[in-house]
């Protein structure tokens, strides 16, 4: 059994194959975190120590006992305003304007199976594979109710956490901060791994000691971002790939987020991950509820390879869905680096013919096929085929490509609107903008206001009608700018700060609709490469374009950083032309192949224009792909050497589970 409640000790113990997580309802009804680590049993409250710590106050209930302090005891869901002066997970502004929340245990339920979160992606599992614990907490003064949700997948060493808030107080409250997971560590000297980057160089690994003060990462860009990935690893100083203790948190969310790690006055460590608190003030009327997204937790006592494998398995089997979860992915050739905007139906057809000769399975027509889009400064929103380029129309082209024996895929950037588009001329109010201000442009485009229901319908129909019009089996869903100048003419003044979150919910609703109507579609998400590479998007698409940097050598580092949390089966990786378009480096064709084979595998070049000796290697590479695709997709991945560290060579292995 994964979840055990012990009435005598009032402890909740979450057991997985190799790990134990424990919390306790203490004498005053507070929920204390006792332990997360290597598997054990029994009540762990002997780990708690009580001393009179100066300038760390005591709750009223403790009376004259100065050894009991919210500021020093490990909290399961620390709240602002009740005597815990560390950074907290939850800050609420009550109807009377006060900023305080005092949550006490009310009740709990244990259920077979894993909870779902309505409208949000989350880990899923069968009744045999998982259990759910729901702990109801209440502020007895205001009536604000919080449900702490735990999903336990024992065989995978995975625990998930989420939080929902219900306003049962007498007036409107505001949520100013809500982190989905918080972990307190009483002991240990830790280092923090975070994953920073920029466009075309995502998920670099940074490993630094946890120091006094707060170390914080996050995004205020509306997407999870190139700059920080929504994941963190806490590792003991001695922890390597193959030994030592380490903990991961990964946020199943695709918008603004924050992660915080702090060392407190007693050298205790707190780690939290959840929604970004900047530009977040969520009003809740009496009776309304807010559901926070989910965080995935895992712990390994056998180093980071094992930690990654736990997460890989969870993401592959319990986040990714659909036909391609376990099926061979087609080897695709993408027109972007082959032709950019400079193509016609005929050149696409020629590319497909040449691709067929070297055993490629699918042709993907990237940006440039719609509106009057011959460069990146117009037409987003005008999802009508440009018949000056694609003479004969899309269906004709798709049929011709199918006749050669190749499948057909297509690119969209559905969430965007170019100022120079028919859509913007008709509906300027559909763009996210603050009335009376000129909005920031990025790639000369604005973002559509996905809080508007009619915009969601328009966007959906734009994509779906194209898919219904021809035999298209793959979509690359792109998103090429951040959100700024947040304003919606649809929302009330007070709702404006909900826009970041509502936007993400809109993206999820769109993709859910898409995979429901087209269950066999292979969806690949993308955001200027890897700006939305997160478990949230992987719930809809089993693969994401890893980076716009296709240089094999830089990809070693990008893919290594990505692999700390994400399985190889999710990493869009292609062989591209040389000198590389992003960095100008020349690498052997064979090297480019090997690096792309550690991902979803495909090509991003004009096969008719590359040197003959390179072209000749493609059938060999596709053969290798067919030999190893299952292993790469399903196997246990080990980082052995790191080019990022040694700047000389890289080495990894994938071992079959048997
Ligand atoms: C983004 C993507 C690229 C390509 C272009 C098209 O940058 O990451 O792969 O699709 O958009 O504009």
């Amino acid at each position: 059994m994964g979840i055990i409640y012990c009435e005598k000790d009032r402890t909740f113990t979450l057991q997985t194959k190799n790990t134990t997580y424990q919390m306790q309802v203490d004498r005053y009804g507070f929920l204390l975190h006792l332990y997360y680590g290597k598997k054990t049993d029994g009540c762990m409250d002997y780990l708690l120590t009580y001393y009179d710590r100066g300038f760390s106050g005591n709750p009223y209930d403790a009376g004259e006992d100065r050894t009991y302090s919210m500021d020093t005891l490990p909290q399961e869901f620390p709240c602002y305003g009740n005597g815990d002066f560390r950074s907290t997970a939850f800050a609420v502004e009550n109807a009377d304007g006060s900023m305080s929340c005092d949550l006490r245990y009310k009740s709990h339920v244990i259920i077979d199976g894993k909870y779902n979160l309505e409208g949000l992606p989350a880990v899923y599992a069968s009744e045999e594979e998982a259990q759910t614990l729901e702990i109801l907490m209440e502020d007895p003064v205001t009536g604000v109710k919080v449900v702490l949700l735990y999903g336990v997948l024992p065989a995978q060493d995975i625990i998930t956490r989420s939080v929902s808030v219900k306003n049962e107080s007498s007036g409107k409250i505001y949520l100013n901060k809500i982190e989905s997971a918080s972990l307190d560590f009483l002991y240990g000297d830790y280092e923090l791994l975070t994953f920073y980057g920029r466009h075309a160089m995502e998920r670099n690994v940074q490993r630094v000691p946890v120091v006094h003060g707060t170390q914080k990462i996050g995004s205020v860009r509306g997407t999870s971002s190139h700059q920080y990935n929504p994941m963190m690893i806490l590792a003991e100083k001695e922890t390597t790939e193959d030994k030592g203790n380490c903990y991961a948190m990964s946020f199943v969310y695709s918008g603004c987020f924050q992660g915080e790690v702090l060392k407190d006055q007693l050298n205790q460590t707190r780690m939290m991950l959840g929604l970004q608190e900047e530009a977040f003030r969520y009003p809740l009327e009496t009776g309304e509820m807010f559901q926070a997204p989910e965080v995935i937790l895992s712990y390994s006592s056998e180093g980071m390879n094992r930690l990654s494998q736990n997460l890989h398995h969870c993401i592959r089997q319990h986040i990714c869905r659909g036909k391609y979860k376990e099926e061979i992915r087609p080897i695709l050739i993408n027109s972007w680096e082959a032709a950019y905007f400079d193509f016609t139906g005929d050149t696409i057809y020629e590319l497909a013919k040449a691709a067929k000769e070297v055993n490629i399975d699918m042709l993907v027509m990237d940006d440039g096929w719609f509106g009057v889009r011959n460069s990146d400064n117009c037409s987003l929103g005008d999802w009508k085929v440009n018949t000056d380029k694609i003479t004969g129309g899309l269906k004709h082209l798709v049929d011709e490509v199918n006749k050669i024996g190749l499948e057909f895929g297509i690119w969209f950037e559905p969430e965007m609107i170019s100022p120079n588009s028919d859509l913007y001329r008709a509906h300027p109010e559909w763009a996210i903008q603050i009335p009376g201000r000129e909005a920031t442009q990025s790639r000369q485009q604005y973002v559509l206001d996905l809080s508007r229901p009619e915009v969601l319908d328009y966007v959906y129909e734009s994509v779906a009608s194209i898919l219904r019009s021809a035999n298209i089996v793959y979509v690359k869903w792109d998103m090429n700018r951040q959100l700024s100048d947040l304003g919606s003419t649809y929302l009330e003044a007070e709702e404006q700060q909900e826009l970041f979150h509502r936007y993400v919910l809109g993206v999820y609703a769109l993709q859910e609709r898409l995979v429901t109507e087209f269950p066999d579609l292979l969806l690949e998400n993308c955001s200027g490469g890897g700006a939305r590479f997160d478990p949230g998007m992987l719930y809809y698409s089993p693969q994401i374009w890893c980076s716009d940097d296709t240089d094999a050598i830089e990809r070693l580092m990008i893919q290594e950083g990505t692999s700390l949390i994400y399985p190889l089966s999710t990493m869009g990786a292609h062989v591209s032309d040389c000198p590389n378009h992003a960095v100008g480096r020349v690498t052997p064709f064979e090297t480019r192949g090997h690096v792309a084979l550690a991902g979803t595998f495909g090509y991003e070049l004009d096969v008719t224009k590359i040197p003959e000796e390179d072209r000749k290697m493609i059938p060999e590479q596709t053969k290798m792909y067919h030999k190893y695709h299952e292993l790469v997709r399903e196997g246990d991945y080990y980082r052995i050497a790191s080019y990022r560290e040694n700047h000389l060579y890289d080495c990894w292995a994938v071992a079959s589970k048997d």
Side-chain angles (χ1 to χ4, degrees), residues 199 334 336-337 340-341 366-368 373 376 411 413 443 476 478-480 526-530 545 547-548 604:
H199 175 234
N334 180 294
W336 183 240
E337 287 192 33
Y340 297 99
F341 294 101
D366 208 279
D367 196 355
R373 186 139 164 118
D376 61 9
W411 178 96
E413 199 181 347
R443 220 189 186 206
K476 177 174 170 191
D478 212 338
M479 194 294 185
N480 283 328
C526 174
S527 179
W545 183 228
S547 176
D548 274 348
E604 183 114 3

Side-chain angles (χ1 to χ4, degrees), residues 507-550:
V507 173
Y508 292 153
L510 284 169
Q511 296 209 350
E512 185 65 38
R513 240 164 118 177
L514 196 68
V515 298
T516 306
E517 181 176 345
F518 304 96
D520 289 344
L521 183 74
L522 176 55
L523 189 59
E524 174 154 0
N525 270 295
C526 174
S527 179
R532 217 161 49 178
F533 203 115
D534 57 64
M537 299 315 288
L538 289 170
Y539 188 66
Y540 306 94
S541 70
Q543 59 194 57
I544 297 178
W545 183 228
C546 204
S547 176
D548 274 348
D549 184 347
T550 56

Side-chain angles (χ1 to χ4, degrees), residues 343-346 368-374 384-394:
F343 63 82
T344 62
D346 290 344
W369 56 267
F370 55 94
V372 286
R373 186 139 164 118
N374 296 311
K384 297 277 169 311
V385 180
N386 180 347
T387 46
D388 290 341
K389 272 172 144 175
I390 318 291
T391 48
L394 185 60

Side-chain angles (χ1 to χ4, degrees), residues 183-214:
L183 274 180
D184 277 357
F185 299 87
L186 290 166
Y187 310 104
D189 203 1
Y190 294 104
E191 292 184 335
L192 172 65
L193 281 83
T194 52
F195 304 85
Y196 68 95
R198 57 173 194 272
H199 175 234
M201 198 61 221
E202 298 89 338
R203 292 172 295 285
N204 299 278
V205 183
Q206 173 174 273
R207 182 172 178 162
V208 292
V210 173
V211 292
H212 286 276
T214 300

Side-chain angles (χ1 to χ4, degrees), residues 306-365:
R306 174 54 61 84
L307 189 71
S308 299
Q309 288 162 12
N310 293 346
L311 285 144
H312 291 180
H313 187 91
C314 176
I315 289 173
R316 254 183 343 232
Q317 292 299 325
H318 300 281
I319 288 274
C320 293
R321 301 178 295 170
K323 173 178 164 188
Y324 286 98
K325 177 176 157 179
E326 272 154 321
E327 241 179 59
I328 183 167
R329 316 265 172 89
I331 300 174
L332 62 85
I333 184 157
N334 180 294
S335 67
W336 183 240
E337 287 192 33
Y340 297 99
F341 294 101
D342 188 15
F343 63 82
T344 62
D346 290 344
T347 54
I348 291 286
Y349 180 75
E350 290 306 320
L351 187 59
K353 248 171 51 187
K356 179 66 192 170
E357 281 168 25
V358 287
N359 301 340
I360 290 171
D361 306 315
M362 181 189 286
L363 184 288
V364 175
M365 182 165 69

